[in-house]
Amino acid sequence: MSDPQLLLASYLKTLRLPTFLREYATVARQCGEKDAAYEEFLQQLAELEVQHRQVQSIARRIKQAAFPVVKDLADFDFAAVPKLNKKRVLDLAQGAFIEQRANVVLNGAPGVGKTHLAIGLGREACRNGQKVRFFTASGLVNAYVEAREERHITRLENHIRRHDLIIIDELGYIPLDRVGAEHLFGFFSQCYEQTSLIVTTNLPFAEWPQIFADDERLAGALLDRLTHHVYIVDITGDSYRLKTSLKQQKKKKGESAP
Ligand code: ADP
Ligand code: MG
């Protein structure tokens, strides 16, 4: 490498322009071949740098969201759940509810695709520039219990505050004790009109006191906050898991039949 090239590489590193550094020789050659103006050379490099940063920041946001698995809306078979309002789900994917600081409740029996849709909506939000975090309800309660001390609870609350959208998966599968219920109430109060939530649950609202240590008042106050600005998506249908495993069994039987 010549001295000017070494100097340029060092400046581009200082300016944190890795795509400029990686691509300038190629783009310079291409521009030279078609006699393009200097401005075009610079514009092309700047565009590549911006594109690269966007891809990287989406990947970073998806990683920080800590989704347990990769699920996208594009892979969701809406035909398998004809009673689900597809338009409503696709509208939610546009993310206006996050701007409104509103919440989404995905309600349905096990296996109907609640977690899939929640993750799909979460990944879409990451692509739209939002900061997202996934928790299971029990994982979130554990995080509070582990943060028991005041100082650590403040740190956890600051962490929560930094997000635009928080997903709480599987609310209602495991009943909470008094302490867990109070932590969750604190969490919902903190997020009220500040941070959007997507909650997945198998329980109708009338049964929520069961989750919250049989405390009607606590469950009522919590539901009040959650449902003040809410989009409710009911998913009625058969378990997709069960359907696919039945299909596989049938196929196997067909294969082994004489
Ligand atoms: P739930 O959270 O309601 O119990 P999941 O979202 O975990 O259900 O779905 C169970 C499995 O079935 C997952 O692997 C999910 O990707 C898949 N699944 C569920 N519904 C659909 C669907 N309509 N199209 C494609 N895959 C689906
Ligand atoms: Mg689930």
Side-chain angles (χ1 to χ4, degrees):
M1 243 192 248
S2 66
D3 276 357
Q5 278 176 324
L6 281 175
L7 256 180
L8 178 59
S10 144
Y11 290 148
L12 292 176
K13 271 190 192 140
T14 307
L15 291 170
R16 294 186 213 291
L17 294 170
T19 312
F20 264 70
L21 180 56
R22 204 176 49 246
E23 301 293 340
Y24 80 83
T26 315
V27 178
R29 187 171 31 76
Q30 288 165 350
C31 285
E33 279 164 9
K34 58 179 184 170
D35 233 359
Y38 293 131
E39 287 87 344
E40 188 179 333
F41 164 72
L42 204 54
Q43 175 258 316
Q44 277 189 26
L45 271 183
E47 192 171 310
L48 287 173
E49 187 73 56
V50 168
Q51 280 169 357
H52 179 71
R53 280 189 197 185
Q54 279 168 347
V55 169
Q56 268 191 327
S57 68
I58 291 172
R60 197 179 329 115
R61 278 193 294 274
I62 287 181
K63 186 161 182 254
Q64 285 169 350
F67 298 115
V69 282
V70 177
K71 296 282 171 187
D72 271 310
L73 291 181
D75 307 320
F76 193 82
D77 176 10
F78 284 91
V81 258
K83 286 192 189 140
L84 172 66
N85 188 337
K86 177 178 177 181
K87 183 176 178 304
R88 196 175 175 89
V89 174
L90 297 184
D91 280 351
L92 288 171
Q94 302 290 316
F97 77 98
I98 304 173
E99 308 293 337
Q100 298 159 4
R101 301 279 174 251
N103 302 320
V104 174
V105 174
L106 301 173
N107 195 347
V112 291
K114 300 182 296 298
T115 303
H116 187 138
L117 287 177
I119 294 175
L121 288 171
R123 286 170 60 90
E124 209 49 42
C126 291
R127 292 187 193 106
N128 291 334
Q130 311 281 10
K131 290 202 183 73
V132 182
R133 182 70 164 82
F134 181 100
F135 289 100
T136 58
S138 56
L140 181 68
V141 169
N142 281 344
Y144 271 97
V145 170
E146 276 169 21
R148 222 172 290 127
E149 292 170 41
E150 196 56 41
R151 210 157 47 91
H152 289 173
I153 296 238
T154 310
R155 196 188 300 162
L156 178 62
E157 286 178 346
N158 287 341
H159 174 73
I160 286 164
R161 203 165 290 128
R162 280 199 294 273
H163 293 90
D164 304 297
L165 171 67
I166 296 186
I167 299 172
I168 306 298
D169 196 27
E170 300 189 341
L171 197 64
Y173 283 75
I174 307 165
L176 301 166
D177 62 10
R178 180 90 225 151
V179 173
E182 279 170 9
H183 280 314
L184 220 51
F185 176 73
F187 166 78
F188 278 88
S189 300
Q190 193 202 337
C191 293
Y192 176 60
E193 293 188 333
Q194 300 286 332
T195 307
S196 286
L197 302 175
I198 295 181
V199 174
T200 81
T201 181
N202 58 331
L203 283 188
F205 291 142
E207 290 174 34
W208 277 37
Q210 287 174 26
I211 326 171
F212 294 98
D214 272 325
D215 187 331
E216 297 258 357
R217 267 187 45 213
L218 189 76
L222 187 145
L223 271 172
D224 204 46
R225 284 159 178 75
L226 176 69
T227 59
H228 185 191
H229 313 285
V230 74
Y231 296 87
I232 296 171
V233 180
D234 286 313
I235 315 173
T236 38
D238 299 325
S239 163
Y240 195 86
R241 272 191 215 107
L242 200 62
K243 261 194 289 193
T244 36
S245 67
L246 285 178
K247 247 190 226 162
Q248 274 164 1
Q249 276 176 25
K250 252 193 190 166
K251 210 172 132 201
K252 264 190 207 156
K253 267 193 197 155
E255 279 164 5
S256 58

